[in-house]
Amino acid sequence: MNSFDKKTLKKGLLPYLFLIIIMLGVFYVFNVFDRKVNELSYDEFIEKLDDGKVTELKLIASGSGYVYEVSGKLSGYEENETFTATLPLSEEVMKKIVTASDDQEFKLTVKADPSSSSFLIILVNVVPFVILIGLAFWFLNRQMAGNKSSLDFGKSRARLSSDDNQVTFKDVAGLKEEKEEVKELIDFLKDPKKFQKLGARIPKGVLLMGPPGTGKTLLAKAVAGEANVPFYFISGSDFVELFVGVGASRVRDMFQQAKRNAPCLIFIDEIDAVGRQRGTGLGGGHDEREQTLNQLLTEMDGFGANEGIIIIAATNRPDVLDPALLRPGRFDRQVTVNLPDVRGREEILGVHAKNKILAEGVTLKNLAKRTPGFSGADLENLLNEAALLAVRRNKDEITMSEIDEATDRVLMGPAKVSHKYSENDRKLVAYHEAGHAVIGLKLANASDVQKVTIIPRGSAGGYNMMVPSEEKLCSTKTDLLEEITGLLGGRASEEITFGEITTGAHNDFEKATKIARAMVTEYGMSDLGPLQFEQQSGSVFLGRDYNKPQHFSNEVANEIDMEMRKIINDCHKRATEIIKKNQDLLKLIAETLLEYETLTKEQIDYLVENGKMPEEDESNLESLSITKLKELAKEKGIKNYSKMNKAELLKELDETE
């Protein structure tokens, strides 16, 4: 049981312990525990009184007026032992008791009937019930305090952002065009009369679309920060509940709160959770979500006016949204937040590198060029991983070595340095990756080879990092064919070198087949002509994509398969020809990989130009070959160094220092 569970258990038991203590106190006050009461008859009482054994006596007149209730103690009784008796109301009995009290000198107390006192009646009969009811209410309030939200079904879950961490456009790197699109909203919120003079109507809603991690939420926060207006934020999933109608009630309550604070902004993150197209589910619709969406549509552009309220929503699945949500008057403006280009990546890296210490050789411009396809969240994670590695290695600054390793971690996962592969497997992986590198070096339109490694990561035994020489908006047919050729270079290298094929190229085939099919069915880059037979689609949108109609005949489907096969076979043939013509380069790169395990772009360029690696710097152990590391291990007296891989050698040498 963890500490959180223990604290929760203690907190839940405290009220019950408190109640037990109160009950024990009550029992103690009324002397319930270990109390012994003996009932005596009239004759027994008179006998004890005559024998002088009564030591204490309390006489209480009964409410009936015919008997006395007496209680007291006899000689020989223990401290908590008493007796009771009922006596007839007569002058003779009273005279006998008074005479015995005078003769025997025991304590005699006479009290009136408690039932004759209204205060005592209330105390005895009413107060215990009041206490019990009060305790019951106290426990109910304790139980409900932690679950107040369970009764607030219809209340809005929208939260008002605080001014402590206000975000402005200065905190949003890149997104130059996107910021220009939303500046009108800020001007309107600051001075709405300027727009109203010319009869302009500001957009009621802005939909931010784009891949995850591109800064949609950050941009919405910056709009609120720049406008300095209340900013409500909520997730689309916060509307949908188990009970039908709850989500619609929350929408109404959210807009009521916003009206009281207008002008203001409402930001709905992941709006596709509530704004999915209606009537598309298999086996019926989703009543709760559809009612919530209907209420949202009504509030945005229904019979009532919501002046001064602007809604910003974000999603990475605009294809599943209901068309009524996207029409003018609701989400009038749709802003696509794409992955950053090289300049945007440099700006984003500059924002996240402010509190990090980078070595002299690390330049953000070069790092931006090496990270095409990275989102803003990926870049932030990249620098954070590099900082963690630098701390782990006891360094005072972040060097290019940590950034290279962090890039690999973001793309492929951590290195599996503990995995020991046979020499035959290492050789297969080395020649496979060298085949990719040779194709990349020899094809004019191919991507630049940035890094080649045979260290396994994720499900890959090794990988080849290749990035475009320049970022392009559109890819040509030649670019795509050479990309497929590069992907098939590993398989061609295996066939030529070993006369055998392995399963190592299965991911290469997956990517190559996807590109070839898109060329035929989407881009019109085949002998079938400029026709589009298919469209890109993400995950299945049940009810709309499940039984997607096929808009071509079986004969055309067969031709599509033949064209795909032709593209793949031609590229494989070309890759084989290039590998055969450059077997010396293939062997040089592969053998160097076996020795160094990882080669950077600078090392590959030097190797291709000079036929050997540059001189080794013993101060940088990571750049040394396995042979050199084993020599150093031998000098330092490390045992079993000959059976260690490079990662193990580096660890042992680092510990000896």
Side-chain angles (χ1 to χ4, degrees):
M1 184 180 291
N2 55 35
S3 59
F4 177 79
D5 293 334
K6 290 180 179 178
K7 289 180 180 178
T8 306
L9 182 61
K10 289 179 180 178
K11 189 175 180 181
L13 290 176
L14 281 176
Y16 298 100
L17 292 174
F18 183 64
L19 179 61
I20 292 172
I21 291 172
I22 292 176
M23 293 176 65
L24 290 174
V26 172
F27 286 138
Y28 179 78
V29 169
F30 286 98
N31 200 17
V32 174
F33 293 124
D34 298 328
R35 185 176 175 183
K36 186 176 181 181
V37 180
N38 300 317
E39 292 187 8
L40 302 180
S41 63
Y42 171 73
D43 294 336
E44 289 175 337
F45 171 74
I46 295 299
E47 182 181 351
K48 300 293 184 184
L49 186 66
D50 292 340
D51 293 342
K53 292 184 178 182
V54 177
T55 59
E56 184 178 331
L57 188 65
K58 185 184 295 183
L59 185 65
I60 302 173
S62 173
S64 62
Y66 299 104
V67 294
Y68 282 109
E69 299 288 342
V70 297
S71 63
K73 288 189 175 184
L74 302 178
S75 59
Y77 270 19
E78 296 179 1
E79 185 178 353
N80 58 343
E81 188 175 4
T82 60
F83 73 87
T84 61
T86 303
L87 307 179
L89 183 60
S90 64
E91 185 178 348
E92 182 182 354
V93 173
M94 284 297 301
K95 186 177 180 181
K96 197 165 192 174
I97 292 174
V98 173
T99 302
S101 173
D102 293 337
D103 295 341
Q104 301 171 16
E105 296 182 353
F106 61 79
K107 184 179 179 181
L108 176 63
T109 305
V110 180
K111 287 189 176 183
D113 181 16
S115 60
S116 62
S117 172
S118 59
F119 174 76
L120 288 177
I121 292 174
I122 294 173
L123 183 66
V124 174
N125 298 310
V126 179
V127 171
F129 292 101
V130 172
I131 293 175
L132 289 175
I133 293 172
L135 287 173
F137 272 106
W138 182 72
F139 275 111
L140 283 173
N141 288 331
R142 290 279 300 179
Q143 294 297 324
M144 297 303 295
N147 297 311
K148 278 188 176 180
S149 59
S150 62
L151 297 179
D152 297 336
F153 286 132
K155 297 294 183 182
S156 171
R157 300 290 179 89
R159 298 176 296 279
L160 185 64
S161 65
S162 62
D163 296 333
D164 299 336
N165 299 314
Q166 200 171 52
V167 179
T168 63
F169 280 161
K170 293 180 181 179
D171 303 307
V172 183
L175 305 180
K176 184 177 180 180
E177 292 77 13
E178 290 81 356
K179 286 189 280 191
E180 289 292 334
E181 284 289 319
V182 296
K183 271 187 178 179
E184 287 181 2
L185 305 180
I186 300 170
D187 295 337
F188 172 77
L189 291 169
K190 288 182 176 179
D191 187 12
K193 293 182 179 179
K194 181 174 68 173
F195 292 85
Q196 293 168 357
K197 283 181 181 179
L198 296 177
R201 180 182 62 82
I202 202 69
K204 292 187 177 180
V206 176
L207 181 65
L208 303 178
M209 307 178 298
T214 50
K216 299 184 291 295
T217 303
L218 187 65
L219 183 61
K221 289 182 178 179
V223 172
E226 291 286 338
N228 196 24
V229 296
F231 175 67
Y232 291 93
F233 59 98
I234 189 171
S235 172
S237 59
D238 286 335
F239 289 113
V240 183
E241 270 289 354
L242 174 64
F243 305 105
V244 176
V246 174
S249 176
R250 289 178 179 173
V251 171
R252 287 191 295 270
D253 187 64
M254 180 180 70
F255 276 89
Q256 287 174 3
Q257 291 183 31
K259 287 176 184 177
R260 290 193 292 267
N261 294 279
C264 68
L265 273 174
I266 297 176
F267 175 61
I268 306 176
D269 198 9
E270 304 297 343
I271 194 173
D272 52 277
V274 68
R276 282 176 173 258
Q277 188 172 336
R278 291 166 290 182
T280 55
L282 292 179
H286 189 297
D287 289 338
E288 162 63 357
R289 187 173 64 229
E290 292 183 6
Q291 284 197 19
T292 306
L293 175 58
N294 291 336
Q295 186 63 42
L296 181 62
L297 296 174
T298 303
E299 292 288 348
M300 289 189 69
D301 188 25
F303 292 103
N306 290 314
E307 297 296 337
I309 300 175
I310 296 177
I311 300 177
I312 300 179
T315 181
N316 49 30
R317 289 298 308 276
D319 56 309
V320 304
L321 294 180
D322 194 280
L325 199 61
L326 304 177
R327 75 158 176 83
R330 287 178 179 136
F331 284 108
D332 307 79
R333 186 169 296 177
Q334 299 174 23
V335 179
T336 301
V337 185
N338 286 319
L339 293 170
D341 58 7
V342 62
R343 187 179 300 176
R345 292 196 297 274
E346 185 177 353
E347 293 179 8
I348 293 170
L349 287 168
V351 171
H352 295 303
K354 286 181 180 178
N355 61 340
K356 295 177 175 61
I357 303 174
L358 301 178
E360 291 184 4
V362 179
T363 59
L364 299 181
K365 187 174 182 180
N366 291 335
L367 184 56
K369 291 180 179 179
R370 298 179 56 180
T371 52
F374 276 51
S375 67
D378 290 332
L379 294 171
E380 191 274 337
N381 189 35
L382 169 65
L383 289 180
N384 185 61
E385 286 287 346
L388 293 174
L389 284 169
V391 173
R392 197 178 304 166
R393 295 173 179 177
N394 298 318
K395 292 186 177 181
D396 297 327
E397 56 187 9
I398 302 171
T399 65
M400 205 63 204
S401 174
E402 284 76 44
I403 290 178
D404 280 337
E405 175 65 20
T407 306
D408 295 340
R409 281 172 171 263
V410 173
L411 289 173
M412 304 289 294
K416 298 181 179 179
V417 294
S418 61
H419 275 56
K420 290 191 176 182
Y421 293 95
S422 66
E423 284 300 316
N424 185 48
D425 286 340
R426 290 183 76 248
K427 192 173 182 180
L428 280 169
V429 174
Y431 273 90
H432 181 99
E433 299 303 332
H436 290 304
V438 169
I439 300 295
L441 291 168
K442 292 302 176 180
L443 289 179
N445 294 322
S447 301
D448 292 337
V449 179
Q450 292 290 332
K451 185 176 183 180
V452 185
T453 180
I454 59 173
I455 298 175
R457 290 179 183 271
S459 59
Y463 79 98
N464 194 320
M465 182 190 293
M466 302 175 70
V467 299
S469 55
E470 60 179 6
E471 296 187 30
K472 300 179 181 179
L473 183 63
C474 297
S475 297
T476 64
K477 182 178 180 180
T478 302
D479 293 336
L480 296 176
L481 290 174
E482 292 194 354
E483 186 175 352
I484 295 174
T485 304
L487 290 168
L488 299 176
R491 167 56 67 87
S493 176
E494 293 175 6
E495 293 173 335
I496 293 170
T497 306
F498 304 104
E500 186 63 88
I501 57 177
T502 69
T503 60
H506 90 281
N507 186 249
D508 299 330
F509 295 156
E510 180 183 348
K511 295 178 181 178
T513 304
K514 187 177 181 180
I515 296 172
R517 187 168 190 86
M519 290 176 65
V520 178
T521 61
E522 297 179 36
Y523 308 144
M525 295 180 177
S526 69
D527 293 339
L528 294 179
L531 295 172
Q532 188 177 64
F533 301 103
E534 295 177 349
Q535 294 179 346
Q536 288 185 358
S537 61
S539 56
V540 174
F541 184 22
L542 292 180
R544 193 184 71 186
D545 296 337
Y546 194 77
N547 292 320
K548 198 171 183 179
Q550 182 173 300
H551 298 294
F552 49 84
S553 64
N554 292 333
E555 289 78 7
V556 173
N558 184 52
E559 291 182 22
I560 290 173
D561 294 339
M562 292 176 64
E563 287 294 324
M564 289 174 55
R565 190 178 298 114
K566 180 182 177 183
I567 291 174
I568 296 293
N569 289 337
D570 289 347
C571 290
H572 180 259
K573 183 179 178 181
R574 189 180 182 192
T576 303
E577 292 173 355
I578 295 173
I579 295 294
K580 284 182 177 179
K581 289 180 181 179
N582 298 277
Q583 289 194 55
D584 293 338
L585 179 60
L586 175 72
K587 184 177 180 181
L588 177 63
I589 296 175
E591 294 299 328
T592 309
L593 272 174
L594 289 170
E595 188 67 19
Y596 287 84
E597 291 191 344
T598 300
L599 298 176
T600 62
K601 175 177 171 55
E602 294 76 14
Q603 291 174 326
I604 293 172
D605 291 341
Y606 189 93
L607 183 66
V608 173
E609 185 177 348
N610 300 282
K612 62 178 182 179
M613 289 287 286
E615 292 184 6
E616 298 179 341
D617 181 11
E618 293 190 7
S619 62
N620 185 8
L621 295 179
E622 294 179 5
S623 65
L624 300 181
S625 64
I626 294 178
T627 302
K628 187 63 178 177
L629 290 173
K630 287 183 177 180
E631 291 177 2
L632 293 174
K634 183 179 179 180
E635 292 175 5
K636 295 184 178 293
I638 296 174
K639 297 179 180 180
N640 299 323
Y641 67 88
S642 60
K643 297 180 180 179
M644 295 181 183
N645 57 28
K646 187 172 182 178
E648 292 170 332
L649 288 167
L650 288 171
K651 183 179 179 181
E652 290 293 333
L653 288 169
D654 185 59
E655 290 178 355
T656 55
E657 292 181 359

